[in-house]
Amino acid sequence: MALRNILTVEEPVLHKTARPVTRFDAHLGELLDDMRQTLTNAGGVGLAAPQIGILRRVVVVDDDGELIELVNPEILETSGEQDGMEGCLSVPGRYGMVKRPEFVRLRAQDRDGNWFEAEGEGLTARCFAHECDHLDGHIYTERAYHMLTDEEMAELEEEE
């Protein structure tokens, strides 16, 4: 396993559509292991392969301490709405207000190519939607209706 560099918003690869995974082999397993380690080290809740420069449809999500690996994820159903602050490892130090579904159900493959369904609500649903956006070349700042100013960020830090 190895830590990978997380690319930032100005990198062109983050604005491209990722290709489906077709080979379920040791290389994919190594990528997933590296992504797990990189996400944990960065203290984030989700990481998509394009964020480390790999244009493949691969995501790792931290669902309350359990890391979920999603290969070729497809959102099947969403419901409800949540409105909240969102950040991204590829947009360090910046946060914005984004509307996302309250519930997301998706279908994905595991590292061996087996299909399964996963669902989440709240932060997990937000993360599923956010990471699937990355696979389509979109960053949350495109969906944000308000990016927090430096002053607003300072106020939030004071409250903590």
Side-chain angles (χ1 to χ4, degrees):
M1 287 193 297
L3 286 177
R4 304 278 187 115
N5 290 326
I6 298 172
L7 304 179
T8 53
V9 67
E10 64 277 353
E11 295 291 338
V13 71
L14 290 174
H15 306 281
K16 295 181 179 179
T17 301
R19 296 183 302 276
V21 171
T22 56
R23 291 179 44 204
F24 295 82
D25 56 12
H27 182 71
L28 175 62
E30 181 180 318
L31 172 62
L32 284 162
D33 291 343
D34 289 355
M35 288 177 66
R36 292 169 71 97
Q37 184 177 7
T38 302
L39 177 63
T40 300
N41 185 68
V45 292
L47 183 68
Q51 292 180 272
I52 59 169
I54 308 292
L55 271 176
R56 290 286 181 260
R57 298 187 80 76
V58 179
V59 167
V60 176
V61 171
D62 183 341
D63 181 20
D64 201 24
E66 177 189 351
L67 292 179
I68 303 171
E69 299 174 350
L70 305 169
V71 179
N72 298 323
E74 305 165 8
I75 294 179
L76 299 174
E77 176 188 352
T78 64
S79 64
E81 183 177 87
Q82 59 175 305
D83 192 8
M85 191 168 63
E86 199 162 302
C88 180
L89 295 172
S90 291
V91 188
R94 298 300 317 264
Y95 296 88
M97 299 303 292
V98 182
K99 288 186 188 311
R100 294 281 188 187
E102 177 60 32
F103 171 83
V104 172
R105 185 169 59 89
L106 53 74
R107 175 181 130 126
Q109 290 171 281
D110 64 18
R111 65 174 56 210
D112 298 314
N114 301 307
W115 287 98
F116 67 97
E117 289 187 9
E119 56 186 46
E121 50 189 33
L123 180 60
T124 301
R126 177 177 292 279
C127 193
F128 283 167
H130 177 114
E131 299 308 328
C132 285
D133 274 355
H134 273 301
L135 300 180
D136 293 327
H138 300 290
I139 297 180
Y140 85 94
T141 55
E142 297 170 36
R143 296 195 185 279
Y145 61 86
H146 174 72
M147 291 299 293
L148 275 67
T149 64
D150 291 340
E151 292 79 18
E152 290 169 320
M153 289 301 302
E155 286 177 23
L156 287 174
E157 288 174 10
E158 281 181 20
E159 291 174 9
E160 293 177 355

